[in-house]
Amino acid sequence: MAAEASKMEFGAKAHVALNDPKLRANFRRAMDGLMTKRAAQFADEAEWNALRARGAAARANALAKLPELLEQLEANCLRNGIHVHWAETTAEANAIVLGILEAAGARTVIKGKSMVTEEMHLNAHLEKHGITPVESDLGEYIIQLAGEAPSHIVMPCIHKNKTEIAELFHDKIEGQPYTENVDELTAAARAALRGAFAGADAGISGVNFAVAETGTLVLIENEGNGRLSTTLPPLHIAVTGIEKVLEKLDDVPPLLSLLPRSATGQPITTYVNMISSPRKEGEKDGPKAVHLVLLDNGRSRVHGDTELRDTLRCIRCAACMNHCPVYTRVGGHTYTFTYPGPIGKLLTPQIEGLDCAGDQPHASTLCRACADVCPVQIPIPDLLVRLRTESVRPTQGQAVKGAGSSATTSETLGWKGWTLLYASPLVYRIGTKMLGWFGNLMPSSAPMLKQWTSVRTKPKFAPKSLHELAREKGYCDE
């Protein structure tokens, strides 16, 4: 099971990634460019602070009113002719999408970029039932050919260089000669996808924002594939998490400014699509039917905690990943689950459970680089510390899924002993003296040393305390 794999393999995968010079070089090259471009977009600090305050306020306001706004979104979408479906789990969402496609007789699907469908493992589900999904985003298309999962939520194949992509296209696209020319590689993908766009029975997309006030689905993209996926096929299915709702159309502009500038260093994406209905009478293009699938998958539980609710502000810009000293060195596949990097360390343990992904909140230096660049002011380090605490000491009330799963009797006794040791000067002096005498005799496999000695040698206890050494040198009084 993926959850069990994450718990057992994160550390091992990180070591493998750290010893892969090609992967390290690919990420270093990409991240340096992304950070430089983003910094140039927000050179005016006053403008940056004012804009992110507006963005954070819009997202926080939507989350504060989430139940009412979701009902308003549903009512306005229905009024506009968009069918609305609710899914509590990914299994339910997959069943809904499959049911819609089968009812329409669809056998081929063209997909725009969507992390929620990755969360659902929708492609595998459709293929199992005889429906062929084709990813139309260039990065997603590349990793689909490679049989891999995305390693980044904005640039899915960021872990690959052009040589690897050239070899992949030569092997997987019939008649494609080997070339490392980027323009020629892009043209090859475009040629392969054009027929898929024209012949698809249905299109599936994600949603960047869903506006409750108007029942509008907002999708932004650079390649035009999103627009083709949502307008050429006769059927469009949009899939999104329930947290993507906004109250008003006026909330969209500041977020449209923050998202591309934070993600790719662009002032705005090439395409901004706003979908409010299926094709109307007299219109020449657009789908004949539009369906919106709203996925919960643990988000309601996250929303119920007033502190952890801030996790759901995320607008999927990936700025936190691009600046994270851990992610940029180990890559996205180390995290096993759909969402890597700092936001993944927050979202995954809350969705999958701390018993399955409880190691991820610890894969952080807490350097606050992620918080500094987050365009909607998510206090990521503070929430990581909260999850670390939850893993061993659950709070009262609505518990985080899997809370307390990392608690052990030896650790509990160890911390009680530490508290006793530091609460009394006399006990502290006796304890440190005994450690100086006997500490070096403890085996490396002792519970209190095992995590330390798994990656480094056991430290030697000094025969004298720091205070004793300072007193001998005359640096302090008795």
Side-chain angles (χ1 to χ4, degrees), residues 130-463:
I131 297 175
T132 304
V134 178
E135 295 287 352
S136 64
D137 174 86
L138 180 56
E140 292 281 355
Y141 178 67
I142 290 169
I143 63 168
Q144 185 180 32
L145 289 179
E148 299 175 358
S151 63
H152 191 278
I153 64 174
V154 174
M155 289 150 286
C157 65
I158 198 169
H159 58 290
K160 292 187 178 298
N161 58 37
K162 64 181 180 181
T163 301
E164 294 172 290
I165 295 170
E167 291 172 352
L168 180 68
F169 277 25
H170 178 62
D171 291 340
K172 298 292 185 177
I173 300 177
E174 187 176 355
Q176 172 62 29
Y178 182 88
T179 176
E180 293 186 15
N181 183 287
V182 174
D183 291 336
E184 291 177 6
L185 290 171
T186 303
R190 183 183 294 118
L193 288 171
R194 284 295 172 180
F197 283 120
D201 299 319
I204 296 177
S205 75
V207 177
N208 290 102
F209 310 109
V211 183
E213 178 185 43
T214 58
T216 301
L217 311 180
V218 182
L219 291 79
I220 65 174
E221 38 125 359
N222 282 317
E223 300 170 19
N225 65 296
R227 183 164 294 183
L228 289 169
S229 298
T230 59
T231 56
L232 273 182
L235 171 64
H236 171 212
I237 304 172
V239 187
T240 187
I242 58 173
E243 80 279 14
K244 292 295 187 70
V245 68
L246 292 174
E247 182 177 14
K248 300 176 180 178
L249 205 56
D250 285 346
D251 294 331
V252 174
L255 294 169
L256 282 184
S257 179
L258 285 164
L259 178 48
R261 294 163 76 184
S262 297
T264 55
Q266 298 171 263
I268 194 168
T269 51
T270 308
Y271 298 90
V272 177
N273 308 294
M274 293 193 174
I275 301 168
S276 295
S277 73
R279 186 194 305 186
K280 296 178 182 178
E281 187 176 350
E283 292 182 338
K284 295 183 178 181
D285 59 11
K288 296 178 181 178
V290 178
H291 293 256
L292 172 64
V293 180
L294 293 164
L295 175 65
D296 188 321
N297 197 30
R299 288 163 173 80
S300 291
R301 183 177 57 251
V302 178
H303 182 266
D305 187 298
T306 54
E307 181 183 18
L308 294 174
R309 178 185 298 175
D310 287 346
T311 305
L312 301 178
R313 285 191 212 167
C314 179
I315 58 174
R316 304 294 191 267
C317 70
C320 61
M321 298 179 194
N322 301 342
H323 292 74
C324 176
V326 177
Y327 173 85
T328 56
R329 284 160 178 80
V330 301
H333 289 157
T334 302
Y335 295 81
T336 299
F337 293 95
T338 303
Y339 303 101
I343 192 61
K345 298 169 199 173
L346 280 184
L347 189 58
T348 299
Q350 295 182 73
I351 290 177
E352 302 291 342
L354 285 164
D355 51 338
C356 296
D359 55 350
Q360 298 208 9
H362 295 271
S364 171
T365 64
L366 301 180
C367 66
R368 304 197 70 85
C370 52
D372 290 342
V373 299
C374 177
V376 288
Q377 299 179 328
I378 301 174
I380 295 175
D382 300 334
L383 300 184
L384 288 175
V385 170
R386 166 72 189 282
L387 290 180
R388 292 181 183 186
T389 303
E390 290 285 344
S391 68
V392 294
R393 191 170 64 252
T395 57
Q396 298 298 318
Q398 186 173 1
V400 176
K401 185 178 180 181
S405 58
S406 298
T408 62
T409 302
S410 60
E411 184 175 354
T412 300
L413 292 174
W415 282 114
K416 286 183 177 180
W418 184 90
T419 302
L420 177 64
L421 186 70
Y422 281 84
S424 166
L426 177 61
V427 174
Y428 174 81
R429 289 182 180 180
I430 294 173
T432 53
K433 182 66 71 176
M434 292 181 66
L435 281 174
W437 290 338
F438 305 112
N440 292 323
L441 301 178
M442 285 193 297
S444 298
S445 58
M448 64 186 70
L449 293 176
K450 188 164 58 176
Q451 289 299 317
W452 178 280
T453 56
S454 65
V455 293
R456 54 179 70 83
T457 57
K458 188 183 76 173
K460 290 186 177 181
F461 291 93

